[in-house]
């Protein structure tokens, strides 16, 4: 068997001992690695510092004999090799990948699941083929309403449900990519090589890795991960409460994350740059503000132009800091007017945390 | 391939623990039946909880993942209900007592402890593949070894059971040294095994043949 997708691992190993930020290990088995937020001054998160979330762990796929299949409600079922897929066209787009559970450890009361802090997110330039081109080639039938991604990772046991996620066919046709490239390098093994879904603006649970194929269907998948997992209350509930009704989570809510200053930083009085990223699934970010007085007054930060739906925008604010202890807060507002709130919307799955971001720092004269 | 005596002794110790536990939870003897109000089951002892933790959780999760969760007793109850459906080896009458044990052993109030045993480099090494696997083995011999020693926990087709994870297309099948060490030393509830020359190649050749 040949494995040509290990370049990221090799370069990761060469970083050992270097004074660069490192991934934070949240869980070894299955492997969950978190990006340090200091990296979020970069437009693109380097592949070897990009967070990793695994349900069952990477399968040892033989890339040479690997095929991608299209089945279900299509005129022509397909079975394609990587070489054949690459001939179907090549598209590239920047997009934010954020784990649905990013920020879970910040919920009170605590919630079961990977205890992410703020760094289960990153942005890459993704390259691959448009899913709409695949659907056209296979001839999706008029009854088709959903596309279910068929992953390559194996459940831990026969009673454990497979990780099957479905998206509506409108989303599949709009902007979804099947990617083999990440930041202009071959997609790394831990990030789903040889092929993964890229679902701009939507939470990471839809970005299925190690794709063996898709199933075109009239209904969404009826298994655990569509019917029970990844659900949000339809109405806000009190922390620790039980929702009356739930719905599948889809697009990411508006959010900002502070990259500078670092949590616990000791700063010199004077000009301090407040930097970070902002994004959301409902379109471009309109403004990002920061506050150093617990939200009483806010100062607008300079915001990058949007590079397209699903991409993040970096911000830089300037703070004239005088001596004292502070919490710096950030708050993003999107073009529809939706803004981050002081408190997160607590939910039993610990999903989609998007309260004001906060870092504590001390300023000395 | 022969199971090693010390590990066998440990396994027997665990088994006897299970036996005592199931003895305690067996249908009550005649005098107990006569009682009007049945006593609530005794809480899990520390050792009993630790054995259950090792047998039920660590075949699929690293211990730190469970220890670091720090959720409430109710939260653990929900997780255990879910995991029992997925094959975790927790008896029905143990479930509530195990939730209590986990919430007391790893209380919400205490911050999650750092896991000093894992470095990022180490975690990535476990995911790295050996691109040049060893010599081809005898798949039939590998199947016989697997059926005798491994199938009870990992499943007859290596798709996993509550007792052990799936091995089909598992990255460890590309890591000869790590695979050998794992089988020789054991891991968690898995005992170690003595290996004859050629056993590793045969097992790996058989297991790799099970990929989709």
């Amino acid at each position: 068997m040949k494995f040509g997708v290990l370049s990221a691992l090799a370069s990761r190993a060469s970083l050992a001992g270097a004074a660069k930020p490192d991934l934070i290990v949240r869980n070894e088995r299955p492997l969950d690695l978190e990006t340090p937020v200091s990296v979020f001054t970069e437009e693109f998160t380097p592949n070897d510092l990009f967070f990793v979330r695994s349900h069952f762990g990477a399968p040892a796929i033989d890339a040479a004999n690997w095929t991608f299949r299209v089945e279900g409600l299509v005129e022509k079922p397909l079975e394609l090799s990587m070489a054949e897929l690459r001939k179907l066209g090549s598209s590239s787009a920047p997009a934010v990948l954020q784990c649905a559970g990013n920020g879970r450890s910040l919920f009170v009361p605590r919630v079961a699941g990977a205890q992410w802090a703020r760094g289960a997110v990153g942005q890459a330039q993704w390259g691959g083929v448009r899913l709409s081109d695949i659907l056209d080639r296979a001839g999706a039938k008029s009854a088709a309403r959903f596309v279910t991604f068929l992953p390559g990772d194996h459940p831990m046991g026969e009673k454990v449900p497979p990780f099957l996620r479905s998206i509506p066919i409108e989303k599949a046709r709009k902007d979804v990519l099947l990617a083999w490239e990440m930041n202009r390098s071959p997609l790394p093994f831990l990030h789903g090589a040889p092929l993964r879904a890229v679902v701009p603006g939507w939470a990471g649970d839809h970005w299925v890795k190690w794709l063996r194929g898709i199933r075109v269907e009239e209904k969404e998948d009826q298994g655990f991960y569509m019917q029970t997992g990844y659900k949000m209350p339809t109405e806000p509930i009190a922390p620790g409460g039980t929702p009356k009704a739930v719905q599948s989570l889809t697009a990411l809510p508006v959010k900002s994350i502070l990259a500078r200053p670092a949590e616990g930083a000791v700063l010199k009085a004077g000009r301090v740059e407040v930097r970070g990223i902002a994004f959301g699934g409902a379109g471009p970010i309109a403004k990002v503000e920061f506050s150093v007085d617990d939200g009483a007054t806010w100062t607008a930060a300079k915001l990058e132009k949007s590079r397209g739906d699903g991409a993040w925008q970096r911000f830089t604010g300037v703070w004239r800091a005088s001596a004292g202890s502070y919490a710096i807060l950030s708050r993003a507002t999107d073009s529809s007017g939706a803004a981050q709130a002081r408190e997160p919307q607590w939910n039993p799955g610990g999903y989609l945390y998007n309260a004001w971001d906060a870092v504590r720092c001390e300023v000395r004269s | 391939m022969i199971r090693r005596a010390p590990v066998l002794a440990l396994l027997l110790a665990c088994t006897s623990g299970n036996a005592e536990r199931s003895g305690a939870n067996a249908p009550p003897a005649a005098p107990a039946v006569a009682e009007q109000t049945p006593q609530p089951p005794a809480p899990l002892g520390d050792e009993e909880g630790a054995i259950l933790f090792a047998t039920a959780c660590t075949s699929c999760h690293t211990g730190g993942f469970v220890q670091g969760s720090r959720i409430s007793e109710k939260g653990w109850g929900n997780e255990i209900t879910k995991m029992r459906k997925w094959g975790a080896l927790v008896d029905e009458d143990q479930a509530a007592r195990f939730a209590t044990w986990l919430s007391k052993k790893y209380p919400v109030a205490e911050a999650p402890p750092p896991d000093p045993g894992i470095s990022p480099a180490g975690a990535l090494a476990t995911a790295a593949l050996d691109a040049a696997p060893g010599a081809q083995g005898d798949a039939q011999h590998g199947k016989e070894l697997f059926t005798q020693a491994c199938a009870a926990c990992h499943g007859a087709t290596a798709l996993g059971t509550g007792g052990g994870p799936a091995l089909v297309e598992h990255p460890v099948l590309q890591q000869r040294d790590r695979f050998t060490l794992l089988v020789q030393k054991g891991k968690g509830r898995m005992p170690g095994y003595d290996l004859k020359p050629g056993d590793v190649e045969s097992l790996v050749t058989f297991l790799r043949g099970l990929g989709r």
Side-chain angles (χ1 to χ4, degrees):
Chain A
M1 283 192 233
K2 295 273 187 284
F3 295 87
V5 288
L6 301 171
S7 55
L9 291 170
S11 70
R12 191 81 207 88
S14 72
L15 282 177
K20 275 190 75 170
D22 240 336
L23 288 163
I24 303 157
V25 180
R26 293 293 176 205
N27 191 21
E28 194 185 14
R29 186 163 49 91
L31 188 62
D32 296 328
L33 306 173
E34 181 168 335
T35 302
V37 294
S38 62
V39 174
F40 300 143
T41 53
E42 303 290 329
E43 179 173 18
F44 293 107
T45 313
N47 290 358
D48 56 10
L49 287 171
F50 208 105
F51 87 96
V52 173
R53 165 76 173 117
S54 310
H55 268 85
F56 306 122
I61 289 177
D62 175 3
N65 295 317
W66 177 93
T67 56
F68 175 82
R69 65 182 193 272
V70 181
E71 60 185 42
L73 294 176
V74 292
E75 303 293 344
K76 282 183 300 180
L78 303 175
E79 185 154 349
L80 302 163
S81 68
M82 272 312 293
E84 289 167 325
L85 267 175
R86 285 172 192 274
K87 284 185 199 148
L88 295 181
S90 181
S91 296
S92 183
V96 176
L97 168 55
Q98 181 179 234
C99 180
N102 190 26
R104 179 179 288 120
S105 69
L106 307 175
F107 280 108
V108 180
R110 290 172 69 91
V111 179
Q115 296 298 318
W116 299 114
R118 300 150 66 218
V121 60
Q123 171 160 277
Q125 182 79 22
W126 306 96
V129 62
R130 290 172 53 85
L131 181 50
S132 63
D133 292 344
I134 303 281
L135 291 170
D136 287 344
R137 189 178 178 85
K141 294 180 179 175
S142 58
R145 294 285 175 274
F146 291 91
V147 172
T148 298
F149 295 115
L150 307 175
D153 51 343
H154 295 267
M156 303 298 228
E158 286 175 297
K159 290 182 178 174
V160 181
F163 182 59
L164 290 168
R165 292 287 295 166
S166 308
I167 59 171
I169 200 151
E170 296 77 23
K171 179 64 179 171
R173 286 192 175 284
K174 187 182 169 211
D175 55 5
V176 173
L177 291 179
L178 306 181
W180 54 75
E181 217 177 73
M182 182 176 181
N183 288 327
R184 309 196 188 283
S185 295
L187 184 68
F189 183 56
L190 291 177
H191 292 289
L195 196 71
R196 83 171 304 164
V198 168
V199 188
W202 284 32
D205 47 283
H206 304 91
W207 295 49
V208 176
K209 299 195 274 194
W210 311 294
L211 276 177
R212 292 182 195 270
I214 54 169
R215 198 165 60 214
V216 182
E217 300 183 279
E218 194 172 351
K219 285 182 170 178
E220 65 179 23
D221 189 73
Q222 297 297 299
F224 175 85
Y225 286 104
M226 283 307 293
Q227 303 307 320
T228 306
Y230 297 110
K231 295 285 189 187
M232 286 286 283
T234 52
E235 303 289 334
I237 60 169
T242 304
K244 286 199 182 78
V246 293
Q247 60 193 0
S248 287
L249 61 86
T250 54
L252 296 170
V254 61
K255 184 166 182 175
S256 62
I257 297 174
L258 290 159
R260 296 276 194 288
E263 166 68 23
V266 177
L267 308 165
K268 201 166 180 297
R271 186 179 189 277
V272 171
E273 284 196 346
V274 177
R275 301 173 67 186
I277 49 166
F279 56 91
I285 299 299
K287 66 176 174 183
V288 177
E289 305 154 291
F290 71 93
S291 172
V292 293
D293 56 7
D294 196 32
T297 60
W298 293 87
T299 304
K302 194 178 166 202
L303 185 65
E304 279 183 334
K305 285 204 179 91
S306 168
R307 292 197 50 206
D309 286 357
W312 70 29
Q313 292 155 259
R314 289 177 292 176
F315 64 85
T316 305
V318 177
W319 174 33
R320 300 286 168 190
S322 51
S325 289
Y326 297 91
I328 307 175
L329 309 173
S330 70
R331 175 177 77 176
T333 305
D334 71 17
S335 49
S336 75
Q340 287 176 269
R342 177 188 285 271
E343 297 296 333
Q345 189 189 321
W346 189 94
N347 62 92
Y351 298 126
L352 305 182
Y353 181 97
N354 76 326
W356 296 348
D357 201 24
V359 294
R360 289 161 296 182
C361 65
E362 194 184 327
V363 179
R364 292 178 184 166
S365 52
Chain B
M1 201 163 71
I2 296 161
R3 185 171 287 167
R4 285 181 168 175
V7 181
L8 187 62
L10 177 69
L11 196 72
L12 286 171
C14 295
T15 311
S16 72
N18 277 321
E20 280 163 27
R21 194 159 61 244
S22 50
N25 300 323
V33 170
E35 286 176 14
Q36 291 292 316
T37 49
Q39 295 294 308
L44 286 186
D46 203 41
E47 196 180 345
E48 211 175 3
I51 289 170
L52 196 50
F53 177 79
T55 51
C57 306
T58 62
S59 49
C60 293
H61 302 284
T62 22
F65 181 61
V66 180
Q67 291 156 353
S69 290
R70 305 285 160 167
I71 52 176
S72 65
E73 183 174 356
K74 182 186 158 197
W76 278 123
N78 292 338
E79 289 305 298
I80 292 166
T81 301
K82 176 180 163 191
M83 290 303 153
R84 285 186 67 234
K85 281 186 201 155
W86 291 8
L89 299 175
V90 181
D91 294 341
E92 192 176 357
D93 67 296
Q94 292 173 325
R97 295 187 297 151
F98 190 38
T100 308
W101 185 86
L102 283 165
S103 62
K104 285 190 175 156
K105 181 81 177 172
Y106 307 110
V108 179
E110 288 175 15
D115 193 336
I118 304 167
S119 71
L124 284 161
T126 65
L129 300 183
D130 176 2
Q136 285 288 304
D138 176 352
Q140 186 55 38
H141 179 54
K143 184 178 182 179
E144 285 162 13
L145 291 174
F146 183 83
T147 306
Q148 289 163 18
C150 320
C153 291
H154 293 287
T157 50
L159 285 170
T161 73
L167 297 176
V168 173
E169 290 182 351
H170 197 290
V172 77
L173 301 181
Q174 311 298 331
Q175 298 166 282
R176 190 186 190 285
D177 291 350
R178 188 160 165 260
F179 181 90
T180 306
L181 204 66
L182 237 159
V183 176
Q184 284 178 332
K185 303 269 184 197
K187 185 171 182 180
R189 62 191 297 270
M190 174 175 155
Y193 295 87
D194 282 328
L195 290 163
K196 292 195 186 75
D199 281 356
V200 164
E201 286 75 12
S202 298
L203 270 170
V204 167
T205 301
F206 166 68
L207 287 166
R208 283 184 187 167
L210 297 177
R212 280 196 245 185

